[in-house]
Amino acid sequence: MQSMTQTIDELAAAALSDAAVPGISYSVFGPDMNAGHALGFQGQGADHLPLTGAALYDLASLTKVVGTTTRLLQLLAAHKLHLTDTVGQYVGGCAAPELTIEQLMLHRSGLPADVAGTHGMNRAQLDTAVRSAQPHYTPGTVTEYSDLNYILLGRVIAAIDGSLAASVSSQVLRPLGMTSSGYNLQAPLARFVPTENRPERGGIVRGKAHDHKAYLMGGVSGHAGLFSNLDDLTIFTRAMTGLTKTPVLPPAVFKLLADHDVGGRTLGWRRWSHGQQYWHTGFTGTSIAFDRDKQTGFVCLTNRVYPTRTNRAFLAVRRQMLTAFFGQESEWQD
């Protein structure tokens, strides 16, 4: 493990010196090790603030796994939801009500990857576009990652629990002790790591969802919108590895993950290999990886879209970090 952590440390230092990102917060841990680092700064100019472990990041698509998938797995383990249930049982007005929970969680619904033209929409128009989306592949035949899957899954949770934000908070975040995580967090603005310069939104986005669909939905969606920090995500990932025992994640949850292996994915999470190696990323520059066989975990948080998404240098670095963490190349490409 020492060689792995040294490689990750070197890659993080190089990412800063090469200006791939202005700062990087990461932790690597296992049964005999728990190391956390916050290096560099939030950004430039007025954003040139030193990073700490308490800095709050826009998780982007990590929302899908930290919040939405975890709550769905709880509901499935408790038999309050079934993989064969259809989205139409919970969400009205869908053009494809026959899509199953399993197909949505595996990203095998056939729905398109995204909604076109969202920056010209209001909330009602986005809602109409999501509900009217039709599969462009036969459901269950092709794996294609789609935000629409998790927007719909967030609405399934809201239909069962009454509120997506309240459900994720009360059933996942607070029981795990993730007190600095949630949707629409109220905290001093300086604690939020800025994301992208969006002139139509007044400049640098800070403390509000960067994802435009989540922004239109008031910051709360199953696909994006959660904020968290390194300390809280380390707590979460330690629980996912099995290093921390918690009733929030019963054994049945991990059996469901282990039992699904198709197209480089399991329920919600991506697979690095055919073993119990799981990972996921967020567009803003966030990632989580864990290996349940070795009980090791890796959390890496950056604002790689700051001040613009055109700087893609960190994407290659992140892949190198994940390869070092898992100790092998992935069986699937990005």
Side-chain angles (χ1 to χ4, degrees):
M1 191 165 185
Q2 183 176 356
S3 174
M4 175 263 284
T5 56
Q6 181 178 344
T7 300
I8 290 175
D9 290 345
E10 291 170 354
L11 287 166
L16 291 180
S17 63
D18 295 343
V21 286
I24 182 168
S25 303
Y26 67 102
S27 62
V28 187
F29 50 87
D32 302 313
M33 188 191 129
N34 188 17
H37 308 272
L39 309 176
F41 298 87
Q42 292 187 16
Q44 308 158 356
D47 300 319
H48 195 67
L49 304 170
L51 284 175
T52 69
L56 296 167
Y57 287 81
D58 181 335
L59 298 190
S61 284
L62 286 191
T63 300
K64 292 180 175 75
V65 288
V66 173
T68 312
T69 294
T70 305
R71 181 58 187 144
L72 289 168
L73 290 171
Q74 290 175 334
L75 291 167
L76 289 165
H79 305 294
K80 296 180 179 179
L81 180 69
H82 304 88
L83 288 172
T84 54
D85 288 352
T86 65
V87 67
Q89 292 175 235
Y90 302 93
V91 183
C94 292
E98 75 283 359
L99 297 176
T100 67
I101 302 303
E102 184 175 48
Q103 289 167 344
L104 294 169
M105 292 186 75
L106 289 172
H107 291 282
R108 289 175 71 82
S109 67
L111 291 175
D114 208 344
V115 178
T118 55
H119 286 269
M121 293 181 180
N122 58 32
R123 183 171 184 167
Q125 291 168 329
L126 175 62
D127 181 65
T128 298
V130 170
R131 290 175 188 268
S132 62
Q134 296 265 16
H136 58 179
Y137 296 113
T138 301
T141 63
V142 175
T143 300
E144 182 180 24
Y145 181 77
S146 171
D147 279 354
L148 277 71
N149 294 328
Y150 266 75
I151 293 174
L152 291 171
L153 287 167
R155 293 178 181 180
V156 169
I157 292 173
I160 295 172
D161 289 341
S163 162
L164 173 61
S167 175
V168 168
S169 178
S170 65
Q171 302 301 317
V172 179
L173 304 177
R174 298 302 172 261
L176 283 173
M178 298 172 65
T179 56
S180 295
S181 304
Y183 291 102
N184 292 320
L185 288 182
Q186 301 300 308
L189 206 57
R191 279 191 62 195
F192 290 95
V193 178
T195 54
E196 193 172 19
N197 182 13
R198 305 298 301 176
E200 73 277 14
R201 290 179 57 182
I204 294 291
V205 177
R206 184 193 285 271
K208 300 292 184 183
H210 170 266
D211 180 272
H212 199 70
K213 296 185 295 299
Y215 172 69
L216 288 178
M217 289 185 275
V220 179
S221 178
H223 79 290
L226 277 181
F227 284 79
S228 188
N229 61 16
L230 182 65
D231 298 338
D232 274 13
L233 289 181
T234 299
I235 291 171
F236 172 81
T237 311
R238 285 180 65 86
M240 294 299 289
T241 64
L243 286 169
T244 304
K245 304 301 180 184
T246 169
V248 173
L249 299 165
V253 162
F254 300 104
K255 185 177 188 307
L256 284 167
L257 292 181
D259 286 348
H260 288 78
D261 186 354
V262 58
R265 305 198 70 93
T266 182
L267 298 172
W269 291 88
R270 299 184 71 175
R271 284 182 171 275
W272 192 262
S273 73
H274 290 290
Q276 293 193 85
Q277 296 181 331
Y278 307 114
W279 65 295
H280 210 283
T281 62
F283 185 80
T284 50
T286 57
S287 59
I288 287 175
F290 63 99
D291 187 328
R292 279 189 59 81
D293 294 322
K294 296 179 181 178
Q295 289 194 307
T296 54
F298 173 46
V299 177
C300 185
L301 304 174
T302 74
N303 55 337
R304 70 106 192 157
V305 297
Y306 176 95
T308 168
R309 68 186 70 190
T310 57
N311 182 1
R312 297 173 57 84
F314 183 70
L315 300 181
V317 177
R318 181 168 65 190
R319 188 76 180 187
Q320 292 173 307
M321 287 178 155
L322 290 165
T323 299
F325 170 71
F326 286 119
Q328 62 183 12
E329 293 282 351
S330 176
E331 300 177 37
W332 297 279
Q333 295 302 310
D334 277 334

